[in-house]
Amino acid sequence: MIDMTVLRVGLLREAVVDYRFLLNRGYRREPALNMVTSRYQLSTVERMALLRGVMSLNEAESRRSKLVRPEMVKGRRVIIDGFNVLMTIRAALLRRPLILCDDGFIRDISSAFEKVKVTASLYTALEIMLFSLKRLKPANVTVFFDSGVSKSGLFAAYTRRCLLRYGLTGGSVAVKKADVATLSVKGLVASSDAVIILRSYEVTDLGGWIASKIAPESLLDIGRF
């Protein structure tokens, strides 16, 4: 079993510096990551921290230019990549490591090793997300879930009922591919997925923002290394 809680920060700091240097020099991600992993004998979790958190300066700046603070969603339509956002919040609830990445987004590591499951902790994450959205006052909220996840249809139906309970206008649906659906609707996208960020005009890191408030002690700022 992978220990999700252990990150050797001192060692990781050196690895981050080397990996970022190689990316800035034009090395491809996988060979560069393999090189740094081997040099520092990184664990599986530490390797994933680099993969999710570190990028070249140009890539990081491009992504940062699209980042909209959650406080700015008032009056806007928000399109949510459901399981992506909720898994980050869930990681904070479970006190799993959170990475403040080079591009300004906060990502969890554990979701890279776990299949998404509709569990009690995910229901809790949903309630927290919707409570937070109620305070942010968007004009409309649309949440997409991947239908390949067991019980996602029931979870989407529960989300619709919760939207009404929290006084939020919008809807929720389980679709074949949530990332594709998220990109097909006009509005402010909420996700930390790299592909969605690349293809979106504006993105807000709703999950990371909420996670950082739940468990700030679990947050490791990769960018300061």
Side-chain angles (χ1 to χ4, degrees), residues 67-86:
L67 186 56
V68 175
R69 291 184 294 107
E71 295 91 341
M72 303 299 291
V73 309
K74 183 177 180 179
R76 302 189 62 177
R77 184 178 189 183
V78 182
I79 314 301
I80 301 176
D81 181 11
F83 287 131
N84 174 277
V85 172
L86 293 180

Side-chain angles (χ1 to χ4, degrees), residues 75-133:
R76 302 189 62 177
R77 184 178 189 183
V78 182
I79 314 301
I80 301 176
D81 181 11
F83 287 131
N84 174 277
V85 172
L86 293 180
M87 287 296 282
T88 303
I89 299 171
R90 175 181 177 272
L93 291 170
L94 298 176
R95 298 306 190 263
R96 301 280 177 78
L98 302 167
I99 305 296
L100 177 56
C101 306
D102 283 350
D103 59 3
F105 287 79
I106 294 172
R107 297 181 176 90
D108 68 291
I109 300 172
S110 57
S111 61
F113 304 102
E114 299 176 344
K115 287 186 177 181
V116 178
K117 294 181 180 179
V118 177
T119 60
S121 59
L122 211 64
Y123 277 96
T124 301
L126 175 66
E127 296 281 352
I128 293 172
M129 182 186 79
L130 295 179
F131 175 78
S132 300
L133 281 168

Side-chain angles (χ1 to χ4, degrees), residues 130-187:
L130 295 179
F131 175 78
S132 300
L133 281 168
K134 180 179 180 179
R135 297 181 65 185
L136 293 171
K137 300 179 180 179
N140 186 280
V141 176
T142 302
V143 190
F144 290 112
F145 296 107
D146 292 290
S147 61
V149 175
S150 178
K151 301 181 182 178
S152 59
L154 293 173
F155 195 60
Y158 179 79
T159 302
R160 291 193 293 273
R161 295 195 296 273
C162 287
L163 286 167
L164 289 172
R165 174 156 50 86
Y166 281 99
L168 292 166
T169 302
S172 172
V173 62
V175 294
K176 187 174 182 180
K177 291 189 176 182
D179 55 350
V180 175
T182 298
L183 291 167
S184 69
V185 181
K186 188 176 181 180

Side-chain angles (χ1 to χ4, degrees), residues 22 27 29-40 47:
L22 292 172
Y27 282 72
R29 290 190 69 89
E30 187 172 352
L33 184 59
N34 289 340
M35 189 185 309
V36 174
T37 299
S38 177
R39 172 178 171 79
Y40 292 100
R47 176 188 171 91

